[in-house]
Amino acid sequence: MIIVMQHHASDAEISAVVDEIRKAGLQEHVSRGSELVIIGAIGDEDRINPGHFEIMAGVERVTRVTKQYKIVSRDSHPQGSVIKVRGIPIGGEQIQVISGPCSIETQDQMNISADAVAAAGCRMMRGGAFKPRTSPYAFQGLGIEGLEYFQQAAGRHNLPIVTELMDVRMLDTFMEYDVDVIQIGARNMQNFDLLKEVGRVNKPIILKRGLSATVNEWLMAAEYIAAGGNHNIIFCERGIRTFETAYRNVLDVTAIPVLKRETHLPVIVDPSHAGGKAWMVPALAQAAVAAGADGLLVEMHPNPCDAWCDADQALTPDELKALMVTLGAIANAVGRTI
Ligand code: PEP
Ligand code: MN
């Protein structure tokens, strides 16, 4: 930690800071410049609270040197982590495209969707049984009945299933239904109690980025899960809120290389919730793969016009198939496969 003293800090104020550093079991390193005194606190930074120094007389500002996220940091694991979902790797050379409808509607809809996901060459399927809707009057998802339909449909093609957990009280049910990957949605990225609970299970977690979350907040949210013992975390960039209103959200492509540098964990991208329109999905998906994403989460519906949720952004089965072909060429260009 670095403590910058105010211009006219007195020797007594400097000594008081040094005493506090020593009391915490760290060593001080005092640099006296012509204008400022800067004090470095050397040792385990977690033993001192920056706020404690910020309020001391004569202190201008306090800066942490080490990162607050430890387990998810690339410093703790220089090689990238590969997370296996029933043997399917996420984070390795092969890019995984997880596709399926926004919400689970009927058994038929799920069967046709599963057929289309498999036919397009995707190896995992998505579908929401519990939907976080802006309006309490909008369709909220089929709940447990939806999980039944999902398992039935995906089972026919042996596709692992990805579905969102909104309420910690449903976690046991998710375990009973053997949900393969638990999605924590954008709106719950900082639901710390939920993060702690999914940190105690051994299922891979897709952690979506909050609508207005910084990269640091997102990494810290992942650290909550990791701190509980579950290190199988996959980051999912799904667009953030900005001043722009021409599209649903702004896909933060920059976050992909930044996260890949900061964390050893896989990073996937959801181009559907980013753009909010089906016609934008191929361009955003391609950009994500080119920028180094380890996978994609893409909404697809057998008949988008009839979708109960997010109809505008769902690809048709044929559009998904076509997208997979174009992604193959981009993946190869960046040394990956699809
Ligand atoms: C979803 O993937 O179904 C979803 C609701 O996404 P987000 O949490 O990113 O809005
Ligand atoms: Mn959706």
Side-chain angles (χ1 to χ4, degrees):
M1 188 171 316
I2 291 167
I3 299 152
V4 180
M5 301 301 292
Q6 288 168 357
H7 261 250
H8 305 293
S10 67
D11 284 346
E13 287 165 346
I14 293 167
S15 299
V17 168
V18 167
D19 286 349
E20 285 304 307
I21 292 172
R22 288 183 185 166
K23 250 195 255 168
L26 279 81
Q27 274 189 319
E28 80 283 0
H29 184 277
V30 182
S31 311
R32 285 175 193 274
S34 57
E35 290 190 37
L36 285 177
V37 171
I38 295 172
I39 307 173
I42 321 286
D44 182 0
E45 227 178 55
D46 289 341
R47 297 173 64 166
I48 44 178
N49 175 2
H52 180 75
F53 288 91
E54 271 159 9
I55 57 168
M56 288 185 76
V59 172
E60 173 71 28
R61 61 179 181 273
V62 180
T63 311
R64 280 184 162 274
V65 179
T66 57
K67 291 166 183 161
Q68 279 179 290
Y69 45 91
K70 310 273 180 210
I71 305 167
V72 305
S73 168
R74 202 173 262 278
D75 295 344
S76 76
H77 196 283
Q79 307 84 11
S81 286
V82 178
I83 293 174
K84 293 268 179 76
V85 180
R86 280 208 258 138
I88 299 164
I90 305 185
E93 187 193 298
Q94 192 178 58
I95 289 166
Q96 302 303 341
V97 181
I98 305 162
S99 189
C102 178
S103 66
I104 300 161
E105 300 165 4
T106 64
Q107 188 67 69
D108 258 8
Q109 171 243 16
M110 289 306 280
N111 288 346
I112 301 167
S113 298
D115 295 349
V117 168
C122 305
R123 297 176 202 86
M124 276 182 255
M125 187 170 174
R126 64 150 289 146
F130 299 88
K131 297 303 304 174
R133 305 302 301 276
T134 302
S135 166
Y137 308 116
F139 173 56
Q140 304 285 306
L142 292 181
I144 295 175
E145 188 187 356
L147 295 180
E148 299 263 3
Y149 297 162
F150 199 178
Q151 279 294 15
Q152 274 279 327
R156 291 158 60 243
H157 296 280
N158 205 22
L159 294 165
I161 66 169
V162 177
T163 195
E164 178 168 352
L165 176 72
M166 293 210 302
D167 187 328
V168 78
R169 288 170 294 186
M170 291 313 293
L171 183 54
D172 288 344
T173 307
F174 272 46
M175 299 305 280
E176 273 164 42
Y177 278 83
D178 205 18
V179 167
D180 296 286
V181 180
I182 300 173
Q183 179 174 316
I184 300 295
R187 288 152 194 85
N188 273 314
M189 189 205 84
Q190 284 187 316
N191 181 339
F192 298 118
D193 287 334
L194 188 59
L195 299 179
K196 283 180 193 166
E197 288 302 318
V198 296
R200 289 148 56 138
V201 298
N202 62 359
K203 297 279 182 188
I205 309 296
I206 287 181
L207 180 64
K208 287 199 148 194
R209 182 180 188 174
L211 275 69
S212 301
T214 65
V215 168
N216 191 65
E217 286 164 342
W218 194 9
L219 286 157
M220 289 306 290
E223 189 76 12
Y224 260 93
I225 301 172
N230 186 356
H231 298 183
N232 296 314
I233 307 159
I234 299 150
F235 288 84
C236 180
E237 160 62 35
R238 45 78 74 207
I240 50 171
R241 262 218 184 141
T242 70
F243 54 85
E244 184 55 75
T245 54
Y247 21 88
R248 191 172 182 183
N249 292 290
V250 175
L251 179 67
D252 183 8
V253 177
T254 315
I256 304 166
V258 170
L259 271 185
K260 295 294 294 179
R261 188 184 164 97
E262 286 301 312
T263 175
H264 54 92
L265 295 164
V267 179
I268 67 169
V269 167
D270 172 348
S272 309
H273 289 87
K277 299 283 178 204
W279 62 265
M280 293 181 196
V281 169
L284 300 181
Q286 288 159 9
V289 171
D294 297 304
L296 297 168
L297 189 65
V298 180
E299 288 189 346
M300 182 273 305
H301 191 281
N303 191 6
C305 301
D306 292 339
W308 296 4
C309 185
D310 284 349
D312 284 3
Q313 66 196 36
L315 298 185
T316 64
D318 283 347
E319 286 167 343
L320 177 66
K321 215 181 231 174
L323 174 63
M324 289 296 281
V325 175
T326 68
L327 291 178
I330 295 171
N332 292 342
V334 293
R336 314 283 291 266
T337 55
I338 275 278

